[in-house]
Amino acid sequence: YVSFKRTRVIVFWSKNPKPLLRYLPQVDAAGINYYFQFTLNDYEEEGLEPNVARLAKRADVFKQLSDQLGPERVVWRFDPLILSEKLTIDILLRRIRRIASMLRDHTRQLVISFADISKYKKVHNNLARQPHEYREFTSEMMQTFASRLAELNEQWGLRISTCAELVDLVQYGIKHNRCIDDNLMIDLFKHDSELMTFLGYEPDLFANSTRPYLKDKGQRKECGCIVSKDIGMYNTCHHLCAYCYANASCQAVENNLKRHNPQSESLLS
């Protein structure tokens, strides 16, 4: 059970935040800070995200959200990056460039990750049902991709970072990300003294600038996020993205959706 009485920040993670927009004034009224991690991929041709809206509509929602909150509070994710015989690095970069042309004035940051297929049995099994054979990036491919992405970013000027990746791409200006990010919270929410105290932020220029790193020990070693509480549940997302480790199968999701009660305090009744 999570009480919102003492909640200071919510990080919304979504491919489709449109249904949430109407409720944001209530979050504002509750005095809760928030920002969005907005995953906007382009796998329409492959059908890897069967139940998300068309790309153009999702981009419009991204722009609407950015106009409402400011571009700093809407982080663009192209996540994960995945390959097949037909889906090449060239094609992925072309698609990222297309989306960037839509969003360049509506965000300040791009977060990427590389698909983990062998690590998650659920991902391997779900992708095995697809008509194409998908594969992971090799370390050499990651370096090549990062180099070319950095060249494209000279036009956009975005902060690019990786999510929970071991690979070091700093030579291309691509850093390791904290998706639940204390530094971003300090930039955005300095007005919240209670939050700043929790983060160890000291506004005095003459004070020791070293803050504690509040890493969430419940996450992977490569994850940079600070301590937080996830709200959600496996096998409940009806986007049914084929690469997702949160769903075991379409049938598991369908079974849970039958138990969903919007009036309940929990996802399943």
Side-chain angles (χ1 to χ4, degrees), residues 5-258:
K5 290 182 179 180
R6 297 180 61 189
T7 298
R8 303 312 316 145
V9 181
I10 298 176
V11 181
F12 292 110
W13 226 287
S14 184
K15 289 187 176 78
N16 179 31
K18 185 176 180 179
L20 184 62
L21 298 184
R22 60 186 287 193
Y23 299 105
L24 292 182
Q26 295 182 32
V27 183
D28 292 328
I32 299 174
N33 308 295
Y34 57 90
Y35 63 91
F36 280 80
Q37 297 274 350
F38 195 135
T39 302
L40 189 55
N41 301 329
D42 181 2
Y43 292 124
E44 291 186 333
E45 185 175 333
E46 292 75 24
L48 289 175
E49 302 171 335
N51 291 338
V52 299
R54 301 292 293 179
L55 176 62
K57 290 186 177 181
R58 286 179 282 142
D60 285 343
V61 174
F62 193 109
K63 294 175 186 177
Q64 179 182 350
L65 195 58
S66 174
D67 290 342
Q68 182 175 335
L69 303 180
E72 296 83 3
R73 291 172 66 184
V74 190
V75 177
W76 170 32
R77 305 178 68 89
F78 200 108
D79 171 25
L81 295 156
I82 192 168
L83 297 169
S84 72
E85 290 299 320
K86 293 186 176 182
L87 187 57
T88 63
I89 287 177
D90 285 341
I91 291 174
L92 286 172
L93 288 168
R94 192 156 58 239
R95 294 181 184 181
I96 290 175
R97 182 172 59 187
R98 176 189 175 197
I99 297 174
S101 68
M102 303 176 188
L103 304 183
R104 59 183 302 171
D105 296 325
H106 297 277
T107 190
R108 299 289 181 260
Q109 185 177 3
L110 167 60
V111 177
I112 60 172
S113 75
F114 301 97
D116 291 315
I117 300 174
S118 59
K119 185 182 295 186
Y120 297 102
K121 184 177 180 180
K122 288 183 287 186
V123 175
H124 179 273
N125 291 342
N126 287 332
L127 285 174
R129 301 185 183 101
Q130 297 297 306
H132 302 291
E133 184 176 343
Y134 290 95
R135 63 179 187 271
E136 301 174 359
F137 279 68
T138 64
S139 295
E140 182 179 355
M141 288 176 177
M142 292 178 188
Q143 298 288 336
T144 299
F145 182 89
S147 175
R148 295 180 59 186
L149 180 60
E151 290 179 6
L152 290 174
N153 191 44
E154 292 177 3
Q155 308 169 40
W156 315 324
L158 297 174
R159 298 191 307 275
I160 302 182
S161 53
T162 57
C163 174
E165 295 289 348
L166 181 61
V167 63
D168 187 356
L169 304 175
V170 69
Q171 62 179 310
Y172 310 109
I174 299 176
K175 301 179 179 180
H176 295 287
N177 196 49
R178 296 182 186 179
C179 300
I180 302 175
D181 187 351
D182 50 340
N183 294 315
L184 180 58
M185 293 175 193
I186 289 171
D187 288 342
L188 296 176
F189 310 128
K190 280 193 178 74
H191 61 276
D192 189 326
S193 59
E194 186 175 349
L195 174 62
M196 294 301 104
T197 298
F198 174 77
L199 297 177
Y201 172 71
E202 175 55 65
D204 187 347
L205 294 177
F206 299 100
N208 188 339
S209 60
T210 301
R211 291 187 292 105
Y213 175 27
L214 305 173
K215 175 175 169 54
D216 192 330
K217 297 179 181 179
Q219 302 294 343
R220 289 173 283 176
K221 180 180 178 181
E222 296 81 11
C223 174
C225 290
I226 66 167
V227 62
S228 60
K229 178 65 177 179
D230 286 344
I231 301 176
M233 184 178 177
Y234 289 124
N235 298 314
T236 56
C237 181
H238 203 244
H239 286 151
L240 299 180
C241 300
Y243 52 72
C244 182
Y245 61 81
N247 289 334
S249 67
C250 295
Q251 189 58 55
V253 175
E254 294 294 342
N255 291 341
N256 279 334
L257 286 178
K258 294 176 183 177

